[in-house]
Amino acid sequence: RLDGPVTVAGILFVLVIVADRMTSAGSPLATVWVVAGWGLWALFVAEFVLRAAIAPSTPGFLRRNWWQVVFLVLPFLRFARIVARLRLRPVVRAGRVVSATVRGTRIAGRELTGRAAWRLTVTAIVILTSSQLLYEFAGYTSYALALHDAAYATVTGEPLSSQATVARVME
C-alpha cells in the first residue's frame, strides 16, 4: 500500500536535491528544500524500518538490503565532526546525490510497468544526477552548462566538454 506514495516521494526527492543545489544558501527557499529533503528522508527511513519489521526474517532482509542501510545513514554523516575535520563535505554531498539517484531509479524500476516510461524516467534521473556531480566536482561554472553537457552526453553519447577526472569516469 505504500508503494505509490513512496514512488512519488522518491521522484520528488531527486527533484528536491536538484532544487536545493540550485538555490542560493541562506535564502528562505533553501530552508524549504532542506526541510523537504529531511522530511522525505524520514519517510524513507520509516518505510525501510516497516519493511524490516514485517519481513519474515529481519536478519535476512538486512543482509539483502545492506546497501539501503548505507544510503539511509549517509546524510547523518553531515553532522559528524570527523567529516568536517577531514573536509569530506563534498563527498557526503555527492553521496546524497547518488543515494537519491539509486532510490529514484529503484522505485521507478519497481513501479513503472511500461518500458518506455521506465527508460524515460531513469534517463531523466541519470541526467539530473550527472549534472549535479559535474557541477560539484568537474569545474563547471554554471549548473545550466553542467545540465546541458550531461543531457547531451546521455542522449547522444558524445564526450563531455570537461577534462576533469570526474567527467572522464562518468563517461
Side-chain angles (χ1 to χ4, degrees), residues 35-101:
V35 170
W38 283 107
L40 290 168
W41 207 266
L43 173 72
F44 298 142
V45 170
E47 185 253 352
F48 183 82
V49 169
L50 179 64
R51 286 190 306 132
I54 63 174
S57 168
T58 301
F61 175 82
L62 293 174
R63 271 193 305 279
R64 283 187 313 278
N65 296 291
W66 63 269
W67 59 272
Q68 287 186 10
V69 174
V70 171
F71 284 131
L72 289 172
V73 170
L74 195 59
F76 297 104
L77 293 178
R78 294 169 69 185
F79 298 113
R81 289 180 185 226
I82 190 78
V83 170
R85 286 189 183 146
L86 295 177
R87 297 183 182 2
L88 294 176
R89 288 192 193 278
V91 174
V92 172
R93 276 196 302 266
R96 186 174 175 217
V97 171
V98 171
S99 172
T101 302

Side-chain angles (χ1 to χ4, degrees), residues 130-151:
S130 301
S131 65
Q132 289 281 307
L133 295 174
L134 288 172
Y135 183 64
E136 186 72 35
F137 298 107
Y140 283 83
T141 57
S142 74
Y143 179 73
L145 181 58
L147 180 62
H148 173 269
D149 261 15

